[in-house]
Amino acid sequence: MKEKPDTLWGKAYILVSVANFFSWLSYNMVTPVLTGYLKTLGGSVFVCGVAAGLFAFTSLLSRPVSGLLVDALNKKKLLYIFTLLMGASLFLYSIIPSIPVILLFRGLHGIAFGISSTASLVLVSECVSEARIGEAVSYFGIMSVASMAIGPAIGIWLSDSYGYRVCMLASTVMLFVAAVIAAMFPYIHRKSEIEFRITDVFSAPRIVEQKLIGLSGVNASFTMMNGIVSTYLVVFAAERGIHGSSWHFTVNAVVLILTRILMARKMNQWSLKQNLYPAFIFGIVTLLLIGWANSLLLLIIAAAAKAMAQSMSQPALQTEALRRVIPEKRGVACSTMYIGGDLGQAVGPILGGLLAQSFGYGNMYFASVIPLVFACIYFVMWSRSSR
């Protein structure tokens, strides 16, 4: 990597951010329509569920290895190669109408995503000065949020107008565009003192940054909240007779983008405590409002509160992970934080489903406050011990 510039918006930072946007755009275009495509091939509800969870599961499995690879090898090549692998995987399960083939390459797609996303976040930290990492991480995250705001609509429109295969091939093109942009990234690889050995995969101290395990759990509490809200809000609203629940997601995306932009520079100045304490409050308020909701207005207020929780927690935790370790270990630091996020996103809907089945959706949202409360208590103790 060349000498870090004082400016944020250098060529390297712009390229890695735009590549991240197209990568996420592809994901958000294909994910909402994959279930419908599988049903046209005779897939059962169970198969559709497996396909939906397989990407997240294989991405999670790749995280420990991704950190080791990113710390030891050429980060630009990793980003480029695994973005290409994502494109190749998506292309193959777009043109081969076979459920086993789709499941196989969907899983491979998730593995490649886990490695490329870790590489891209570490590259962000190498594009900017240490003093502006928080701001850089926050703006970088806006790219994925923006893709979430428009990707599903584009994917559904393409599949409705031209068919599932056209939608999936268009998503493939987005990944190849991301790969081309990644190839343009200005990067000079310096051989790392950290070597990658296969045996390291079986060594917990090598694949997980020990000092970040607790904060990774805190991250899991926020992604668990997000997973539960996103998964069950529509059916919960229907049960309560609340119409227009899709506005919750629209408002959440808009407020999320605006708050990320407005608060980006604060990430350079505020401590982790200044970000997380309000985030815990906003997260708890979100779940309580939804649990009490009997009108669309409460769901919209909850959407804004959830956006504030997301805007203040995720960039702050990622920035802390990058700052807590030496630059040569930032790959493992990022993957450790991602492991918590992926686990929360995966486990939240499962636990939420069990709670909803036994106690109802409203009580499920109230009970979902508990992980955030425990995470907040842990963070208070962690902050005191870290002084």
Side-chain angles (χ1 to χ4, degrees):
M1 189 73 206
K2 296 177 181 178
E3 203 65 35
K4 292 185 179 183
D6 291 331
T7 180
L8 177 65
W9 299 103
K11 178 182 178 182
Y13 180 73
I14 291 172
L15 287 174
V16 74
S17 297
V18 174
N20 183 55
F21 170 77
F22 281 105
S23 180
W24 273 102
L25 181 62
S26 170
Y27 171 81
N28 285 299
M29 284 171 62
V30 77
T31 298
V33 305
L34 184 60
T35 298
Y37 178 55
L38 287 168
K39 285 184 177 180
T40 65
L41 300 177
S44 64
V45 174
F46 174 75
V47 168
C48 293
V50 169
L54 191 60
F55 184 95
F57 180 70
T58 56
S59 176
L60 173 61
L61 288 181
S62 75
R63 292 298 187 188
V65 179
S66 72
L68 291 173
L69 289 173
V70 169
D71 283 339
L73 305 178
N74 186 309
K75 299 172 184 61
K76 174 183 174 178
K77 286 184 178 179
L78 286 172
L79 177 60
Y80 172 69
I81 290 170
F82 283 97
T83 302
L84 274 181
L85 183 57
M86 283 196 291
S89 300
L90 181 51
F91 176 72
L92 287 170
Y93 69 82
S94 297
I95 64 171
I96 303 175
S98 163
I99 289 176
V101 170
I102 291 171
L103 294 178
L104 172 65
F105 285 105
R106 182 68 172 169
L108 184 60
H109 189 175
I111 291 171
F113 176 83
I115 296 171
S116 67
S117 57
T118 301
S120 63
L121 184 57
V122 176
L123 283 171
V124 165
S125 73
E126 296 192 2
C127 292
V128 299
S129 64
E130 296 295 314
R132 302 193 72 176
I133 285 180
E135 185 181 2
V137 168
S138 191
Y139 282 128
F140 180 73
I142 291 173
M143 297 299 174
S144 61
V145 176
S147 75
M148 291 176 202
I150 64 173
I154 294 173
I156 292 168
W157 172 73
L158 283 172
S159 61
D160 287 346
S161 303
Y162 303 103
Y164 291 113
R165 184 167 294 180
V166 170
C167 170
M168 295 171 77
L169 289 173
S171 301
T172 302
V173 171
M174 297 300 104
L175 284 172
F176 287 130
V177 169
V180 170
I181 295 170
M184 297 165 59
F185 185 81
Y187 185 81
I188 298 173
H189 176 62
R190 295 184 178 91
K191 188 174 180 180
S192 173
E193 295 179 4
I194 299 174
E195 295 183 1
F196 175 74
R197 298 183 297 270
I198 294 296
T199 54
D200 289 340
V201 176
F202 305 100
S203 172
R206 288 286 289 117
I207 63 176
V208 176
E209 180 55 51
Q210 304 295 304
K211 68 179 75 171
L212 293 174
I213 291 176
L215 291 182
S216 182
V218 171
N219 191 33
S221 72
F222 284 103
T223 58
M224 186 179 293
M225 171 199 71
N226 183 59
I228 289 172
V229 172
S230 300
T231 302
Y232 299 107
L233 187 86
V234 174
V235 289
F236 165 75
E239 184 183 81
R240 292 276 176 103
I242 302 172
H243 301 289
S245 59
S246 61
W247 279 104
H248 171 94
F249 300 100
T250 303
V251 171
N252 179 253
V254 171
V255 176
L256 194 52
I257 292 171
L258 291 175
T259 51
R260 282 281 185 109
I261 293 171
L262 293 173
M263 296 174 62
R265 291 197 175 186
K266 297 295 183 183
M267 290 295 161
N268 298 327
Q269 304 161 11
W270 288 357
S271 67
L272 188 58
K273 290 191 292 185
Q274 287 175 299
N275 281 291
L276 282 195
Y277 286 144
F280 282 123
I281 294 171
F282 280 117
I284 291 168
V285 167
T286 295
L287 293 168
L288 293 178
L289 283 174
I290 295 175
W292 283 321
N294 54 14
S295 68
L296 180 60
L297 177 61
L298 283 181
L299 293 185
I300 288 176
I301 296 172
K306 182 159 76 79
M308 293 297 296
Q310 292 170 293
S311 293
M312 302 188 82
S313 60
Q314 188 182 44
L317 286 164
Q318 289 176 337
T319 301
E320 187 71 14
L322 292 168
R323 287 175 172 166
R324 283 256 159 189
V325 298
I326 59 174
E328 290 77 14
K329 295 191 69 178
R330 281 178 173 170
V332 171
C334 288
S335 66
T336 300
M337 201 58 64
Y338 275 132
I339 287 169
D342 290 345
L343 273 174
Q345 191 75 29
V347 172
I350 296 172
L351 293 179
L354 293 173
L355 288 169
Q357 186 173 320
S358 301
F359 306 105
Y361 290 112
N363 289 325
M364 174 199 70
Y365 283 114
F366 292 140
S368 298
V369 168
I370 295 172
L372 281 173
V373 171
F374 277 115
C376 185
I377 293 170
Y378 166 81
F379 182 68
V380 170
M381 294 188 295
W382 178 88
S383 298
R384 289 176 178 173
S385 65
S386 299
R387 286 176 182 173

